[in-house]
Amino acid sequence: MNIQKNIPLKEYNTFGINVNAKRFVSVTSVYQLQQLLKEEKDIFLISGGSNMLLTKDIDTLVVHIDIKGISIDRENHNDIYITANAGESWHEFVLWCVSQGYGGLENLSLIPGNVGTCPIQNIGAYGVEVKDTISKVEAIEIETGKLVSFSAEECQFGYRNSIFKNEAKGKYVLTSVSFQLTKNNHNLNTSYGAIESELSSKDITNPTIKDVSDAVIAIRQSKLPDPKKIGNSGSFFKNPVISKEHFEKLQTAFPNIPSYVISDTEIKVPAGWLIEQIGFKGKRFGDYGVHEKQALVLVNYGGATGKKIYELAQKIQHTIKKTFDIDLEIEVNIIQ
Ligand code: EPU
């Protein structure tokens, strides 16, 4: 294996932050990874680099997970079980499934990143979360080099959350994800308002999974910055969940506040709306700022440092706390 020295990581993170890895290695198979782990346990993993904000050079060995491959495990009349290796591009995998007529992932089109990281924060968009289709996750335990398998239940999925962000954090390298998808009788989820209006603008009344995927791509392209053009990590914050009493209090001061009912006692409020209210939407501070079309997304216009973007995030958190008494939780991993 070729361990390289002083490698710039700009191309390896979607925020486009230019820090260096002191030592860097790409692994292309589970075997290579296991060999490497015999020598090196203090590692920093990078895959699609789509959910991290790098604020400094990385001193530990950076291991780029580049394990490719897609296989069909089994199928019956209605369902198909597919395993994709961690280094596959998420969006390319989704497009491949859609082109084969396999349903379940179409609402998750155009999400940046690789397959191997999709379970970690349980990626979600337009009414679907990846947990709805995951049947199994395989990983290598860093300490022992052993291959371990997690059922969907063992992954303990929640909203932008899983066991891999909690007690399993830092202990495993995810190597593949298995999905149960539909071949017929797809469970299309078009209830999200923007999907419905996108489909009806094209006079589509009986959509296919390809129609839904195309609609999601069009919506994302109209709202979210393309990381290849403007560095970003998607939603920087989670949408906060607050108590019903707290929400009702806010409603008297802000009658237009949008909300989603979570339970009898809890309400989710869109962080993008909150950030827009405090005047940060579209604000630019030289090389970085808040996206003009979606206030939940912080952006790097060029040479911004991760430190500056993190400072902006903290300023937003502070102002949200002061204005709404809400703790805004950061969704992106801050590497410092
Ligand atoms: N809104 C504003 N101003 C903004 C942005 C949003 O007022 O600048 C309002 C919208 O008008 C709408 C509500 O907030 O009433 C929700 O907005 P949107 O539908 O754009 O979704 P979101 O809650 O801001 C979440 C996910 C996105 C996902 C979309 C669509 C989180 C943290 N984010 O955003 O996920 O694409 O729903 O399902 O849950 C990501 O995680 O990286 C991501 C992009």
Side-chain angles (χ1 to χ4, degrees):
M1 248 166 297
N2 178 20
I3 296 187
Q4 298 168 277
K5 297 236 163 90
N6 294 320
I7 295 297
L9 293 177
K10 192 173 163 60
E11 301 298 322
Y12 292 94
N13 71 101
T14 61
F15 243 125
I17 304 292
N18 201 13
V19 296
N20 282 333
K22 255 191 193 154
R23 296 160 67 233
F24 177 96
V25 65
S26 264
V27 293
T28 55
S29 69
V30 171
Y31 176 75
Q32 266 189 2
L33 176 64
Q34 286 172 313
Q35 294 306 108
L36 180 75
L37 290 175
K38 285 183 185 165
E39 312 287 324
E40 310 261 358
K41 300 237 184 286
D42 190 13
I43 57 171
F44 177 85
L45 293 167
I46 205 160
S47 184
S50 61
N51 201 38
M52 57 170 64
L53 180 67
L54 297 161
T55 65
K56 60 167 184 45
D57 290 341
I58 309 292
D59 294 335
T60 47
L61 175 66
V62 172
V63 181
H64 176 227
I65 303 300
D66 198 22
I67 308 171
K68 302 266 203 242
I70 297 172
S71 59
I72 293 177
D73 302 327
R74 63 184 198 280
E75 57 188 298
N76 56 38
H77 180 66
N78 280 320
D79 296 327
I80 185 153
Y81 293 79
I82 300 176
T83 296
N85 285 333
E88 287 290 338
S89 145
W90 173 259
H91 179 55
E92 280 170 30
F93 173 60
V94 172
L95 288 185
W96 179 81
C97 292
V98 169
S99 73
Q100 301 298 305
Y102 306 146
L105 301 179
E106 54 283 353
N107 292 48
L108 304 178
S109 298
L110 209 62
I111 295 183
N114 286 351
V115 167
T117 40
C118 77
I120 300 176
Q121 86 264 33
N122 178 24
I123 57 172
Y126 308 104
V128 171
E129 289 184 326
V130 75
K131 74 172 174 60
D132 304 336
T133 55
I134 288 180
S135 55
K136 185 178 75 177
V137 171
E138 282 194 337
I140 299 292
E141 190 177 33
I142 294 173
E143 193 53 40
T144 60
K146 277 194 188 138
L147 187 67
V148 194
S149 178
F150 293 83
S151 67
E153 198 185 330
E154 286 166 337
C155 291
Q156 296 174 19
F157 290 120
Y159 165 59
R160 296 294 189 277
N161 206 2
S162 75
I163 192 170
F164 306 109
K165 279 182 113 177
N166 296 291
E167 69 228 52
K169 190 174 178 177
K171 294 189 182 144
Y172 299 93
V173 182
L174 273 54
T175 51
S176 74
V177 184
S178 303
F179 302 87
Q180 180 181 359
L181 304 178
T182 49
K183 291 182 0 183
N184 310 293
N185 305 322
H186 304 300
N187 289 318
L188 290 189
N189 192 330
T190 56
S191 53
Y192 208 88
I195 296 189
E196 271 175 3
S197 44
E198 182 66 30
L199 290 172
S200 63
S201 76
K202 291 192 176 144
D203 291 328
I204 299 171
T205 46
N206 199 4
T208 62
I209 52 174
K210 170 88 165 58
D211 293 329
V212 176
S213 169
D214 287 346
V216 167
I217 291 171
I219 299 163
R220 290 189 76 96
Q221 283 174 338
S222 72
K223 274 195 175 181
L224 296 165
D226 176 355
K228 289 196 187 93
K229 295 182 188 139
I230 303 176
N232 75 90
S233 265
S235 300
F236 200 91
F237 304 95
K238 287 188 188 182
N239 284 332
V241 175
I242 59 176
S243 71
K244 204 168 167 217
E245 295 83 64
H246 188 172
F247 177 74
E248 281 163 1
K249 234 186 210 147
L250 288 175
Q251 222 176 9
T252 51
F254 306 93
N256 297 329
I257 184 168
S259 61
Y260 315 97
V261 174
I262 298 291
S263 68
D264 288 349
T265 53
E266 290 173 313
I267 309 273
K268 193 189 262 184
V269 178
W273 185 89
L274 298 171
I275 297 168
E276 185 168 346
Q277 300 313 299
I278 58 167
F280 274 86
K281 187 172 184 172
K283 270 254 161 88
R284 183 168 175 166
F285 307 88
D287 277 346
Y288 61 98
V290 180
H291 188 53
E292 55 185 358
K293 294 185 191 139
Q294 165 54 287
L296 198 44
V297 179
L298 303 190
V299 291
N300 171 16
Y301 289 105
T305 62
K307 250 181 135 172
K308 281 287 173 201
I309 294 173
Y310 185 42
E311 276 170 25
L312 170 61
Q314 287 173 310
K315 202 166 162 188
I316 290 172
Q317 283 179 310
H318 185 74
T319 317
I320 294 283
K321 180 75 182 167
K322 243 180 34 196
T323 316
F324 303 102
D325 193 24
I326 289 179
D327 293 305
L328 210 53
E329 197 185 327
I330 292 179
E331 207 273 304
V332 169
N333 290 311
I334 310 292
I335 311 301
Q336 53 182 346

